[in-house]
Amino acid sequence: MTEVTLETIRQYVAGCKRCGLAAGRTHAVPGEGCPTARLMCIGEGPGYHEDRLGRPFVGPSGQLLDKILAAAGFSRQTNVFIANIVKCRPPANRDPLPEERQACLPLLLKQIEIVNPAIIVLLGATALKGLINPSAHITQLRGQWIEWQGRLVIPTFHPSALLRNPQLKRPVWEDFKHVIDKYRQLVNPSHHSDYH
Ligand code: URA
């Protein structure tokens, strides 16, 4: 049997028809970043810009995510892998349906297994519900560590929520400070952040 790699997943996703989202996509968005990242960020699904380019978090919320990551000493070029709960854009950016999340989840689980992050940041309610528990609430669980399949997961607000409500920037930065601390503890004691 051929080995499943990030590349074979990327190729599969490009032609995937496991759910109805395939019909409306320009490009599937498999995810990108450091293939051996010990930190993974998981969002909801591609929006307009991501669908156009086939890359995750490249629109306004992606620019904000990159800024937060940079402040915390992370980047997709060096030490983070970025993925989404669904790999194709839902029409008019609606939330992905439970059956769409279910159809896509095995691909994300495989990516997690291959990249093998120690820490996973869940960006927003859809990521929390999609990976951990469909009835979980982001407002209740954000900032709390969850042990999940031998990894540590922390939910926080989605960057697009921060763009709508800048007051959420402070709690999200608090959450990222926990991520930095945990990363120093588990991965790299000399991990550098300019701000923490
Ligand atoms: N929002 C997401 O959840 N994911 C992306 O890739 C872009 C925007």
Side-chain angles (χ1 to χ4, degrees):
M1 220 171 84
T2 46
E3 193 196 351
V4 181
T5 61
L6 291 177
E7 177 56 23
T8 59
I9 293 174
R10 193 189 64 73
Q11 287 169 12
Y12 174 82
V13 162
C16 177
K17 293 199 170 73
R18 292 169 75 102
C19 81
L21 294 181
R25 73 175 172 234
T26 312
H27 294 104
V29 179
E32 70 178 30
C34 170
T36 56
R38 304 312 317 278
L39 174 65
M40 186 180 282
C41 291
I42 299 176
E44 174 174 322
Y48 172 83
H49 301 278
E50 292 76 21
D51 176 69
R52 294 290 297 267
L53 294 180
R55 298 180 54 210
F57 280 100
V58 289
S61 61
Q63 285 162 21
L64 179 55
L65 177 62
D66 281 343
K67 267 194 209 167
I68 297 168
L69 289 171
F74 299 109
S75 79
R76 45 184 114 189
Q77 289 79 25
T78 57
N79 49 13
V80 187
F81 192 89
I82 300 180
N84 280 303
I85 291 292
V86 294
K87 300 192 185 319
C88 297
R89 183 191 183 202
N93 296 341
R94 65 157 167 74
D95 290 348
L97 301 172
E99 59 265 32
E100 293 159 353
R101 298 196 313 235
Q102 280 311 314
C104 217
L105 190 62
L107 302 168
L108 177 62
L109 294 178
K110 201 71 203 171
Q111 288 174 309
I112 294 172
E113 191 187 314
I114 294 167
V115 176
N116 193 26
I119 301 167
I120 298 177
V121 178
L122 298 177
L123 301 166
T126 298
L128 173 62
K129 289 170 189 287
L131 194 71
I132 304 294
N133 176 358
S135 49
H137 291 286
I138 188 73
T139 44
Q140 277 168 14
L141 291 186
R142 74 138 270 273
Q144 294 185 37
W145 290 107
I146 301 167
E147 277 190 42
W148 175 83
Q149 304 195 358
R151 308 181 198 279
L152 283 175
V153 172
I154 189 165
T156 193
F157 295 120
H158 192 285
S160 66
L162 276 60
L163 291 174
R164 290 192 300 271
N165 179 4
Q167 287 189 346
L168 297 179
K169 284 185 183 175
R170 187 181 292 264
V172 167
W173 180 243
E174 290 303 316
D175 299 344
F176 268 89
K177 289 201 284 193
H178 293 314
V179 171
I180 296 167
D181 290 340
K182 193 64 78 181
Y183 193 87
R184 287 185 181 135
Q185 200 185 320
L186 296 181
V187 181
N188 177 7
S190 49
H191 177 75
H192 176 78
S193 151
D194 284 343
Y195 299 96
H196 179 66

Coordinates of all heavy atoms in Angstrom, one line a residue, residues 2 5 15 23 29 37 52 55 64 68 72 80 100 109 112 119 124 129 132 141 148 172-173 184 186 191 193:
T2 N 0.5 2.3 -0.8 CA 1.3 3.5 -0.8 C 1.1 4.2 0.6 O 0.1 4.3 1.1 CB 0.9 4.4 -1.9 OG1 -0.5 4.5 -1.9 CG2 1.4 4.0 -3.2
T5 N 1.0 10.5 2.9 CA 1.9 11.7 3.3 C 1.1 13.0 3.1 O 0.0 12.9 2.6 CB 3.1 11.8 2.4 OG1 2.6 12.0 1.0 CG2 3.9 10.5 2.4
G15 N -9.0 16.6 -5.7 CA -10.1 16.0 -6.5 C -11.2 15.4 -5.6 O -12.1 14.7 -6.1
A23 N -18.6 20.8 -5.1 CA -19.3 21.4 -6.3 C -19.0 22.9 -6.4 O -19.0 23.5 -7.5 CB -20.8 21.1 -6.3
V29 N -8.5 23.6 -0.2 CA -7.4 24.2 0.6 C -6.9 23.1 1.6 O -7.5 23.0 2.7 CB -8.0 25.4 1.4 CG1 -6.9 26.1 2.3 CG2 -8.5 26.5 0.4
A37 N 5.7 20.5 12.2 CA 5.4 21.5 13.3 C 4.9 20.8 14.5 O 4.1 19.9 14.5 CB 4.3 22.4 12.7
R52 N -9.8 31.1 -3.7 CA -9.2 31.6 -4.9 C -7.8 31.1 -5.0 O -7.3 30.8 -6.1 CB -9.1 33.2 -4.9 CG -10.5 33.9 -5.0 CD -11.1 33.7 -6.3 NE -10.3 34.3 -7.4 CZ -10.5 35.5 -7.8 NH1 -11.5 36.3 -7.3 NH2 -9.7 36.0 -8.8
R55 N -5.0 28.3 -0.5 CA -4.1 28.4 0.7 C -4.9 28.8 1.9 O -5.8 29.7 1.7 CB -2.9 29.3 0.5 CG -2.0 28.9 -0.7 CD -0.9 30.0 -0.8 NE -0.2 30.2 0.5 CZ 0.3 31.3 0.9 NH1 0.3 32.4 0.1 NH2 0.9 31.4 2.1
L64 N -4.3 38.7 10.1 CA -4.3 38.9 11.6 C -3.7 37.7 12.3 O -2.9 37.8 13.2 CB -5.8 39.2 12.1 CG -5.9 39.4 13.6 CD1 -5.0 40.5 14.1 CD2 -7.4 39.7 13.9
I68 N -0.5 37.6 14.9 CA -0.6 37.0 16.3 C 0.5 36.0 16.4 O 1.3 35.9 17.4 CB -2.0 36.4 16.6 CG1 -3.0 37.5 16.5 CG2 -1.9 35.7 17.9 CD1 -4.5 36.9 16.5
A72 N 4.0 35.8 18.7 CA 4.3 34.7 19.6 C 5.5 33.9 19.2 O 5.8 32.9 19.8 CB 3.0 33.8 19.7
V80 N 4.8 26.2 12.4 CA 3.4 26.0 12.6 C 2.8 25.4 11.3 O 3.3 25.7 10.2 CB 2.6 27.3 12.7 CG1 1.1 27.0 13.0 CG2 3.1 28.2 13.8
E100 N -20.7 17.8 6.4 CA -19.5 18.2 5.7 C -18.3 18.1 6.6 O -17.2 17.6 6.2 CB -19.7 19.7 5.2 CG -20.8 19.8 4.2 CD -21.4 21.2 4.0 OE1 -21.1 22.1 4.8 OE2 -22.2 21.4 3.1
L109 N -7.6 14.4 10.5 CA -7.0 13.5 11.5 C -5.7 12.9 11.0 O -4.8 12.7 11.7 CB -8.0 12.4 11.9 CG -9.3 12.9 12.7 CD1 -10.2 11.7 13.0 CD2 -8.9 13.7 14.0
I112 N -3.0 15.5 11.2 CA -2.6 15.6 12.6 C -1.6 14.5 12.9 O -0.5 14.7 13.5 CB -3.7 15.7 13.5 CG1 -4.6 16.9 13.3 CG2 -3.3 15.6 15.0 CD1 -5.9 17.0 14.1
I119 N 0.9 20.5 20.4 CA -0.1 21.5 20.8 C -0.9 21.9 19.6 O -0.4 22.1 18.5 CB 0.6 22.8 21.3 CG1 1.5 22.5 22.5 CG2 -0.4 23.9 21.6 CD1 2.5 23.6 22.8
G124 N -11.8 29.2 17.0 CA -13.3 29.4 16.9 C -14.1 28.2 17.2 O -13.7 27.1 17.3
K129 N -16.0 22.5 17.9 CA -17.1 21.5 17.8 C -16.6 20.4 16.8 O -16.9 19.2 17.1 CB -18.3 22.2 17.2 CG -19.0 23.1 18.2 CD -20.1 23.9 17.4 CE -20.7 25.0 18.3 NZ -21.6 24.5 19.3
I132 N -13.5 18.4 18.8 CA -13.6 17.9 20.2 C -15.0 17.4 20.6 O -15.2 16.3 21.1 CB -13.1 19.0 21.2 CG1 -11.7 19.5 20.9 CG2 -13.2 18.5 22.6 CD1 -10.6 18.4 21.1
L141 N -15.0 27.3 26.9 CA -13.8 26.5 26.9 C -12.5 27.2 26.5 O -11.4 26.7 26.6 CB -14.0 25.2 26.0 CG -14.9 24.2 26.6 CD1 -14.9 22.9 25.7 CD2 -14.6 23.8 28.0
W148 N -6.3 15.6 24.4 CA -7.0 15.0 23.3 C -6.0 14.1 22.6 O -5.0 14.6 22.0 CB -7.6 16.0 22.4 CG -8.2 15.5 21.2 CD1 -9.5 15.0 21.1 CD2 -7.6 15.4 19.9 NE1 -9.7 14.6 19.8 CE2 -8.6 14.8 19.0 CE3 -6.4 15.7 19.3 CZ2 -8.4 14.6 17.7 CZ3 -6.2 15.5 18.0 CH2 -7.2 14.9 17.2
V172 N -7.5 36.6 23.5 CA -6.8 35.7 22.5 C -5.3 35.8 22.8 O -4.6 34.8 22.8 CB -7.1 36.1 21.0 CG1 -6.2 35.4 20.1 CG2 -8.6 35.7 20.7
W173 N -4.8 37.0 23.1 CA -3.3 37.1 23.4 C -3.0 36.3 24.7 O -2.0 35.7 24.8 CB -2.9 38.5 23.4 CG -1.4 38.6 23.7 CD1 -0.8 39.2 24.7 CD2 -0.3 38.1 22.9 NE1 0.5 39.1 24.7 CE2 0.9 38.4 23.6 CE3 -0.3 37.4 21.7 CZ2 2.1 38.0 23.1 CZ3 1.0 36.9 21.2 CH2 2.2 37.3 21.9
R184 N 7.4 26.2 25.2 CA 8.7 26.2 25.9 C 8.9 25.0 26.8 O 9.9 24.4 26.8 CB 8.9 27.5 26.7 CG 9.1 28.7 25.9 CD 9.4 30.0 26.7 NE 9.5 31.1 25.8 CZ 9.0 32.3 26.0 NH1 8.2 32.5 27.1 NH2 9.2 33.2 25.1
L186 N 7.2 22.0 26.5 CA 7.1 20.7 25.8 C 8.1 20.6 24.6 O 8.5 19.5 24.2 CB 5.7 20.5 25.3 CG 4.6 20.3 26.3 CD1 3.3 20.1 25.6 CD2 4.9 19.2 27.3
H191 N 12.4 28.9 23.0 CA 11.5 29.6 22.0 C 11.4 31.1 22.3 O 11.1 31.5 23.4 CB 10.1 28.9 22.1 CG 9.2 29.6 21.1 ND1 9.3 29.4 19.8 CD2 8.2 30.5 21.3 CE1 8.3 30.1 19.2 NE2 7.7 30.8 20.1
S193 N 9.7 34.8 21.9 CA 8.7 35.7 21.4 C 9.1 37.1 21.9 O 9.6 37.3 23.0 CB 7.4 35.4 22.1 OG 6.5 36.5 22.3

